[in-house]
Amino acid sequence: ASDWALEEGASLHFMQAQCREHPQSWHFDAFRSTLKKDSRLTVTCATQGSQSVRNDYRVALTGENGEAFLN
């Protein structure tokens, strides 16, 4: 699990790659983030190889002009 709190005007580009996992494996992950005024979050996730993958994203935009891009 990942937990992030972005302060006013902050930016974060989070990249996650899950590769070469066993073909019969199951992957579960959680991402939590809180964005304050004028902050920006970009998340990019790539997976390969697992039988099943679940990514649970929860983003709270608590200030004006906050942006979140989930890829």
Side-chain angles (χ1 to χ4, degrees):
S2 300
D3 292 302
W4 298 91
L6 277 66
E7 295 296 324
E8 286 190 19
S11 63
L12 171 67
H13 188 163
F14 183 82
M15 298 180 73
Q16 182 177 28
Q18 301 151 353
C19 301
R20 300 184 185 170
E21 294 191 21
H22 191 277
Q24 299 301 314
S25 67
W26 293 62
H27 184 93
F28 298 94
D29 199 7
F31 183 95
R32 308 284 181 267
S33 183
T34 302
L35 282 67
K36 291 187 178 177
K37 182 180 177 182
D38 297 322
S39 60
R40 179 184 178 116
L41 169 69
T42 303
V43 177
T44 304
C45 179
T47 60
Q48 176 184 1
S50 296
Q51 177 178 341
S52 181
V53 174
R54 178 182 173 147
N55 291 309
D56 181 26
Y57 295 97
R58 295 186 188 197
V59 178
L61 302 172
T62 61
E64 294 179 356
N65 300 318
E67 296 181 314
F69 301 94
L70 306 176
N71 303 305

